[in-house]
Amino acid sequence: MSSKTNAARVLDGLKIPYEIKEYAVDPLNLDAVHVANSVNEPIERVYKTIVCTADHEYVVACLQGDLNLDLKALAHICGAKRCELMDLKDLQKVTGYVRGGCSPLGMKKHFRTFIDERALTQEKIYVSAGVRGKQIALAPKDLATATEAQICKITHD
């Protein structure tokens, strides 16, 4: 598993420092809490990537792995009437990534990206490297720079 992922290539191109952490994949348990335990990091540092439809566009949300996305807040921030989770059957076709390996970096196309503000409380966060079994650790502001993301409140309290 030493080959570079698209996500890593994006960061290399921008000269943004990062680390890759590998872990054993459990295909029956792809959630972020399991990933946090597998990479031996607190869940506050492990972020999941969720792709949504906001009216007629796709948007990307990155949030702490054990929290829930506030779809109404995301819709409001996007300027959309409503926001819905993308149908998982469309994920690979639209992003190039599979469930459990969806990175906010290096998707087929650039989509507006929103990172939950809690990320700024961490020195570094982990996001998928674009394949199951690899996480990228980087500073939250570097992730925001690389994805041209807006940092905002998109989770339920």
Side-chain angles (χ1 to χ4, degrees), residues 11 37 47 138 149:
L11 296 173
N37 291 332
Y47 274 55
L138 74 168

mmCIF file of all heavy atoms in Angstrom, residues 11 37 47 138 149:
data_model
loop_
_atom_site.group_PDB
_atom_site.id
_atom_site.type_symbol
_atom_site.label_atom_id
_atom_site.label_comp_id
_atom_site.label_asym_id
_atom_site.label_seq_id
_atom_site.Cartn_x
_atom_site.Cartn_y
_atom_site.Cartn_z
ATOM 1 N N LEU A 11 -1.970 17.318 -2.304
ATOM 2 C CA LEU A 11 -1.195 17.977 -1.246
ATOM 3 C C LEU A 11 0.253 18.167 -1.662
ATOM 4 O O LEU A 11 0.851 19.218 -1.382
ATOM 5 C CB LEU A 11 -1.295 17.185 0.057
ATOM 6 C CG LEU A 11 -2.698 17.110 0.659
ATOM 7 C CD1 LEU A 11 -2.725 16.171 1.859
ATOM 8 C CD2 LEU A 11 -3.220 18.488 1.033
ATOM 9 N N ASN A 37 -10.266 4.243 16.159
ATOM 10 C CA ASN A 37 -9.686 3.188 16.990
ATOM 11 C C ASN A 37 -8.549 2.488 16.269
ATOM 12 O O ASN A 37 -7.525 2.169 16.876
ATOM 13 C CB ASN A 37 -10.766 2.181 17.393
ATOM 14 C CG ASN A 37 -11.765 2.769 18.361
ATOM 15 O OD1 ASN A 37 -11.456 3.681 19.119
ATOM 16 N ND2 ASN A 37 -12.989 2.262 18.323
ATOM 17 N N TYR A 47 -12.058 12.766 10.844
ATOM 18 C CA TYR A 47 -13.160 13.426 10.150
ATOM 19 C C TYR A 47 -13.678 12.557 9.008
ATOM 20 O O TYR A 47 -12.909 11.909 8.308
ATOM 21 C CB TYR A 47 -12.710 14.797 9.629
ATOM 22 C CG TYR A 47 -12.860 15.857 10.697
ATOM 23 C CD1 TYR A 47 -12.251 15.703 11.942
ATOM 24 C CD2 TYR A 47 -13.666 16.957 10.499
ATOM 25 C CE1 TYR A 47 -12.432 16.632 12.946
ATOM 26 C CE2 TYR A 47 -13.854 17.903 11.494
ATOM 27 C CZ TYR A 47 -13.239 17.728 12.716
ATOM 28 O OH TYR A 47 -13.434 18.649 13.706
ATOM 29 N N LEU A 138 -3.305 16.115 8.624
ATOM 30 C CA LEU A 138 -2.813 17.438 8.251
ATOM 31 C C LEU A 138 -3.498 18.494 9.106
ATOM 32 O O LEU A 138 -4.490 18.211 9.775
ATOM 33 C CB LEU A 138 -3.027 17.712 6.765
ATOM 34 C CG LEU A 138 -4.444 18.008 6.253
ATOM 35 C CD1 LEU A 138 -4.359 18.527 4.816
ATOM 36 C CD2 LEU A 138 -5.343 16.815 6.306
ATOM 37 N N ALA A 149 -12.088 25.258 1.032
ATOM 38 C CA ALA A 149 -13.274 25.068 1.860
ATOM 39 C C ALA A 149 -13.619 26.288 2.686
ATOM 40 O O ALA A 149 -12.764 27.103 3.024
ATOM 41 C CB ALA A 149 -13.069 23.873 2.798
#
